[in-house]
Amino acid sequence: MDEIQALINTHYDNENPNVRRTFILCLYCGLRFCDVKDLTYRSVDYSNKLLTFEQNKTKGHSTASGVVIPLNDGLLTLIGEPTADEGKDGSVFNLPSYESCLKSLKRWVKRAGIDKHISWHCARHSFAVNILNNGANIKTVASLLGHSGLKHTEKYTRAVD
């Protein structure tokens, strides 16, 4: 959590604000890069504070490919509102290529004084470990990550132990 706070507190010249907003959302929601880059405002239920989407990785292969994530006001602020031009079909995050996002992330991590190899997928792992550390049960974590069973989620319990 200290490193997450260090990232949130760190800004640098020419940072990409969309990469920043997206990675922070992933840290608090556990989304994969391939899912967050495809999010549209249609996925956001502002009145019930829910994010609902179908995972790219398991779409068409699993009955558990749909994910519903509760949002708080801070996460809704990161997501923002669609412009009149975009409407509900507009992308939530206008991101460059994965490689460019990773390059921005590495620059940001370095500026924050974090001396670790951080990939985009680390946000998903951090999310899982942090909510387990804060008392969430493994079934809840599996559901939030969109896992079809507990087998894939159990690896995070070892990190907590």
Side-chain angles (χ1 to χ4, degrees):
M1 289 306 296
D2 292 342
E3 290 170 341
I4 290 172
Q5 199 56 55
L7 276 176
I8 291 170
N9 292 338
T10 301
H11 290 275
Y12 62 93
D13 292 340
N14 301 319
E15 73 180 13
N16 184 323
N18 285 325
V19 170
R20 177 187 180 76
R21 288 183 325 129
T22 307
F23 193 75
I24 292 170
L25 183 80
C26 291
L27 284 166
Y28 286 100
C29 293
L31 278 72
R32 291 181 183 94
F33 181 83
C34 63
D35 292 325
V36 78
K37 78 175 175 60
D38 290 344
L39 278 184
T40 65
Y41 289 102
R42 193 166 301 289
S43 302
V44 184
D45 178 347
Y46 291 91
S47 57
N48 293 310
K49 297 184 177 184
L50 295 172
L51 178 64
T52 306
F53 65 97
E54 189 123 5
Q55 297 179 94
N56 286 317
K57 183 177 179 181
T58 57
K59 196 183 305 184
H61 304 291
S62 170
T63 55
S65 64
V67 177
V68 178
I69 298 174
L71 302 170
N72 61 26
D73 291 337
L75 296 174
L76 285 169
T77 299
L78 281 173
I79 290 169
E81 300 264 348
T83 65
D85 294 342
E86 301 172 314
K88 288 272 193 183
D89 291 321
S91 291
V92 173
F93 302 104
N94 182 13
L95 295 171
S97 68
Y98 176 77
E99 291 76 18
S100 278
C101 288
L102 190 56
K103 194 174 180 180
S104 293
L105 176 61
K106 288 181 181 202
R107 192 175 308 119
W108 183 23
V109 166
K110 186 176 181 179
R111 295 283 193 298
I114 300 168
D115 188 26
K116 290 181 179 175
H117 170 73
I118 303 293
S119 70
W120 205 273
H121 206 69
C122 290
R124 185 170 170 84
H125 291 281
S126 293
F127 167 76
V129 170
N130 286 333
I131 64 172
L132 282 167
N133 275 336
N134 284 298
N137 69 53
I138 193 163
K139 284 185 178 182
T140 300
V141 177
S143 174
L144 292 170
L145 292 174
H147 291 164
S148 57
L150 299 182
K151 183 180 84 174
H152 297 294
T153 316
E154 287 173 346
K155 65 183 169 190
Y156 299 111
T157 61
R158 287 190 288 279
V160 171
D161 291 342

